[in-house]
Amino acid sequence: MHYLQQILFVVISVAAVWLFAKKAGEIKRNILLGKKEQLNDQPGKRWNNLLLLAFGQKKMFKNPLVAVMHFLIYAGFIIINLEVLEIVLDGILGTHRLFAPVLGNLYNWLINAFEWLALGVIVVCVVFLSRRNILQLKRFLSKDLNGWPRSDANYILFTEIILMSLFLTMNAADQVLQARGSEHYLQTGSFAVSSLISLLFSGLNDGSLTAIERSCWWLHIVGIFAFLNYLPYSKHLHILLAFPNAYFARLEPNGKMKNMPEVQKEVLYAMQPETVPADAVPPAHFGARDIFELSWKSLLDAYSCTECGRCTASCPANLTGKQLSPRRIMMATRDRMEDVGRNINQNKSFVTDNKTLLHDYISVEELRACTTCNACVEACPVSISPLDIITELRRSLIMEESNAPQEWNSTFSNIENNFAPWKFSPDERDKWVGEL
């Protein structure tokens, strides 16, 4: 029977890791559908971004209380993985509390620290559930989150409460069995938080306590495996992708916009036809209509989005009632990537579905509302830039479809003819001097 449990555990573990790796591979493939962009310069600054923005959550500390609570959950996720490692090894080897004899008194200190952390995670998750569903903060009421996104956030918080509760209950039953000298239950010393729960178990016999401890053990680790495979389908994928996204963040000032070499060449060729190479080929695209013309970094941004809404809450266009929501831009881009990914899975390669990110997922009205002020970029805690996607789509809209409001077209015409936004020829610009 003991060996059957080990075999069952190994089968579940391998299946969980394989399923996660399969989905992670699909996400990587979807991200690399984007255009190439070199973002590996200045490694010192990049490591600094990773440590401060991703691990240290520097931008979150603009609101210290929320930042501390969020950091507690994040630390809980990372640090309690040490406890998960022991559970996994116990399951494979058929042991119980494998690290206890090796670590000695340090083991008791670590488990106590994990328990206080687990209790903190439970309290913070309850607070975050209240913020989302009772206090109803404005950025969580947005129509951007209607349907699955709103439920997704709640599911994750409930799952974390359940997993931490199972961990504490398992330890509580374990302590009572230790005190009774039950076989296989090593003496590890008292655990601060679960000691209080163990008072509820004092009247139970050893068989019942063992059943509780084993049930919580199995539910805890199987729940973690299920959580692992839920992550790639959830906004909480940012738990993993925040690190590479911070490392590969663009290091130029936020307000700096990239030129389009294709346009510069076309202008040069128009003004100096003699410079046109014999093998010159017209550019395939100006800007981007679909995810294939966006940079892979913009696609990584979309998968890294936490859907927290800080970008939208900072957007002046959104605050004045415009349709633009930077959060929805990122969510729509991710939706398009997932649809393209399913298309590839089904057909082995992408088969045209007569849809594009521009128009079918993101509307013209949203793009026109953007003032390119960079408020969304500045507000994002994980170095995401909705603006890069907006500007690329808008370039395609204007340069490939000539789709712009009349006011913009007048400005474009003036720049083309007069080399300035105003309707004055260059020869007339200095006439005002004669009036002095």
Side-chain angles (χ1 to χ4, degrees):
M1 183 65 180
H2 189 65
Y3 291 113
L4 287 176
Q5 290 186 24
Q6 285 178 255
I7 293 170
L8 176 61
F9 183 85
V10 170
V11 169
I12 292 173
S13 302
V14 170
V17 172
W18 181 80
L19 288 170
F20 175 78
K22 180 174 181 290
K23 182 60 180 176
E26 291 177 2
I27 290 173
K28 179 182 178 181
R29 176 205 63 199
N30 293 349
I31 291 171
L32 295 179
L33 292 172
K35 292 194 305 184
K36 292 181 180 179
E37 181 180 3
Q38 291 297 322
L39 292 170
N40 52 11
D41 58 324
Q42 303 182 64
K45 286 186 178 180
R46 296 188 178 282
W47 281 109
N48 188 59
N49 280 345
L50 187 148
L51 292 173
L52 291 180
L53 298 179
F55 186 76
Q57 301 180 40
K58 177 181 176 181
K59 284 191 174 182
M60 291 289 291
F61 279 86
K62 291 178 180 178
N63 186 333
L65 179 59
V66 173
V68 169
M69 291 192 292
H70 192 275
F71 189 82
L72 186 61
I73 289 184
Y74 202 66
F77 173 81
I78 294 174
I79 295 172
I80 289 178
N81 281 329
L82 296 172
E83 173 259 339
V84 173
L85 175 62
E86 181 185 52
I87 290 179
V88 169
L89 292 175
D90 280 341
I92 294 172
L93 301 174
T95 54
H96 184 71
R97 297 197 180 275
L98 177 66
F99 294 161
V102 178
L103 298 177
N105 292 333
L106 178 61
Y107 182 83
N108 178 265
W109 185 90
L110 285 172
I111 297 298
N112 270 293
F114 294 164
E115 287 202 350
W116 282 112
L117 198 56
L119 180 62
V121 169
I122 291 172
V123 171
V124 171
C125 284
V126 170
V127 172
F128 282 170
L129 280 168
S130 300
R131 278 162 55 85
R132 285 183 173 272
N133 302 287
I134 298 176
L135 297 179
Q136 297 188 328
L137 299 183
K138 184 178 178 181
R139 60 191 171 94
F140 296 137
L141 292 176
S142 168
K143 64 182 180 180
D144 296 349
L145 300 178
N146 286 351
W148 165 251
R150 183 168 283 109
S151 300
D152 173 37
N154 288 329
Y155 292 157
I156 287 288
L157 292 171
F158 279 123
T159 300
E160 291 184 1
I161 290 172
I162 292 170
L163 289 176
M164 295 302 104
S165 298
L166 287 169
F167 169 61
L168 293 174
T169 305
M170 174 186 75
N171 281 353
D174 194 298
Q175 280 189 87
V176 178
L177 289 166
Q178 287 180 40
R180 294 179 182 179
S182 296
E183 190 177 4
H184 304 304
Y185 288 90
L186 302 174
Q187 297 294 323
T188 60
S190 178
F191 303 142
V193 180
S194 58
S195 292
L196 299 176
I197 303 173
S198 68
L199 298 175
L200 302 173
F201 298 153
S202 57
L204 299 178
N205 59 41
D206 287 4
S208 298
L209 285 169
T210 301
I212 291 172
E213 191 273 334
R214 288 288 86 193
S215 296
C216 289
W217 187 93
W218 275 100
L219 289 171
H220 182 62
I221 191 61
V222 171
I224 287 173
F225 285 151
F227 182 85
L228 177 69
N229 280 281
Y230 179 80
L231 275 183
Y233 302 91
S234 164
K235 79 185 190 72
H236 285 74
L237 185 60
H238 74 268
I239 291 173
L240 304 178
L241 292 187
F243 291 94
N245 203 59
Y247 182 85
F248 290 113
R250 296 183 180 93
L251 301 179
E252 298 91 351
N254 286 341
K256 183 178 180 180
M257 297 183 69
K258 293 182 293 185
N259 289 325
M260 287 187 284
E262 301 92 341
V263 175
Q264 292 174 304
K265 287 180 182 178
E266 289 294 305
V267 172
L268 174 65
Y269 296 160
M271 298 181 70
Q272 301 178 15
E274 67 277 8
T275 64
V276 181
D279 58 348
V281 178
H285 298 283
F286 292 112
R289 282 178 57 83
D290 211 345
I291 60 169
F292 308 103
E293 290 95 47
L294 290 171
S295 163
W296 66 266
K297 175 58 171 66
S298 292
L299 303 188
L300 176 61
D301 278 352
Y303 270 121
S304 303
C305 178
T306 72
E307 298 177 15
C308 66
R310 287 177 173 83
C311 53
T312 297
S314 302
C315 175
N318 185 272
L319 292 173
T320 54
K322 303 292 194 302
Q323 286 193 26
L324 175 63
S325 167
R327 170 170 57 188
R328 211 198 76 78
I329 296 292
M330 306 315 298
M331 294 169 68
T333 304
R334 183 168 58 202
D335 289 344
R336 176 58 179 163
M337 277 194 287
E338 284 292 294
D339 288 345
V340 169
R342 282 188 285 270
N343 184 313
I344 295 173
N345 291 343
Q346 183 176 349
N347 302 299
K348 306 305 179 185
S349 61
F350 181 69
V351 175
T352 302
D353 57 2
N354 296 318
K355 291 183 178 181
T356 56
L357 180 62
L358 176 59
H359 297 304
D360 291 297
Y361 293 78
I362 298 173
S363 69
V364 174
E365 288 74 19
E366 291 173 273
L367 298 175
R368 286 182 180 173
C370 179
T371 66
T372 64
C373 69
N374 277 283
C376 57
V377 182
E378 182 63 32
C380 180
V382 288
S383 305
I384 288 170
S385 176
L387 185 59
D388 286 328
I389 296 176
I390 292 171
T391 53
E392 288 300 308
L393 295 181
R394 199 154 67 179
R395 280 169 167 169
S396 174
L397 191 68
I398 293 171
M399 301 192 70
E400 294 196 344
E401 300 181 20
S402 299
N403 186 341
Q406 183 55 42
E407 296 85 349
W408 294 14
N409 286 329
S410 298
T411 300
F412 298 152
S413 178
N414 289 334
I415 292 173
E416 182 178 359
N417 296 319
N418 304 320
F419 308 106
W422 303 281
K423 205 168 187 177
F424 298 102
S425 70
D427 296 336
E428 296 178 342
R429 285 187 197 154
D430 59 354
K431 282 189 174 181
W432 65 274
V433 178
E435 299 174 4
L436 296 179

